[in-house]
Amino acid sequence: MGVVTGARDAELNDRLTAELIAFNAAATGSAERDMFSVKVTDGTGELIGGLAAWTWGGLCGIETLWVRENDRKGGWGSRMLRAAEAEARRRGCDRMTVSSFTFQAPEFYQQHGYVETGRTLGIPGGHADVHMYKPFHNWEEEAPHL
């Protein structure tokens, strides 16, 4: 018996993930989990941007959304976000969640109907991680529960 601290252990991470998934499924009755991505390339096949997301129990979470610097004002982020929301709906989701550091793009998500639900303070440089939520139905129905 002992406690060992060290570098990232991929095998341990996989085991912990599997154990937590099983625990969550038993606690919630929802076992279906999946992931998807949205990818945009230019005419030469170079990456303009992408989005990675997961779905579980009717919720879709955006893990990452990135657009290369010289294309950030071209509307690609909005197009990818709309595509992800459409895919989430297609997969049976009725709400989405995302977090964005204050130096990234919380305003971008808020312009697309996401509402701040909380912040994690202590991000280097005096920043925070802004947690946001967007239901696909009438917001007033959901607001009292937050």
Side-chain angles (χ1 to χ4, degrees):
M1 193 179 317
V3 176
V4 178
T5 302
R8 184 178 188 277
D9 182 332
E11 184 178 326
L12 175 62
N13 191 62
D14 289 346
R15 172 71 187 273
L16 296 173
T17 299
E19 295 290 347
L20 192 55
I21 288 170
F23 178 85
N24 292 348
T28 65
S30 182
E32 82 254 9
R33 285 178 29 106
D34 204 0
M35 300 181 84
F36 69 89
S37 62
V38 178
K39 181 178 179 181
V40 178
T41 57
D42 64 18
T44 66
E46 290 296 314
L47 185 65
I48 290 176
L51 180 150
W54 51 264
T55 58
W56 175 56
L59 176 65
C60 178
I62 298 171
E63 288 186 350
T64 55
L65 188 157
W66 174 83
V67 178
R68 71 181 175 195
E69 191 169 350
N70 59 335
D71 289 303
R72 289 194 180 141
K73 298 296 181 195
W76 293 111
S78 294
R79 282 178 254 183
M80 287 189 295
L81 185 58
R82 284 192 301 271
E85 289 175 352
E87 180 63 16
R89 284 185 173 109
R90 190 187 71 71
R91 291 169 179 246
C93 294
D94 62 1
R95 60 206 181 282
M96 293 197 52
T97 186
V98 65
S99 70
S100 181
F101 295 130
T102 51
F103 59 85
Q104 290 176 329
E107 297 84 9
F108 164 79
Y109 294 104
Q110 290 165 343
Q111 290 168 356
H112 287 86
Y114 290 75
V115 175
E116 182 176 333
T117 59
R119 290 182 179 223
T120 300
L121 306 177
I123 304 302
H127 297 286
D129 191 4
V130 182
H131 308 281
M132 291 167 278
Y133 176 80
K134 179 180 180 178
F136 292 146
H137 58 283
N138 187 350
W139 172 250
E140 288 77 27
E141 294 173 14
E142 188 72 22
H145 304 290
L146 294 178

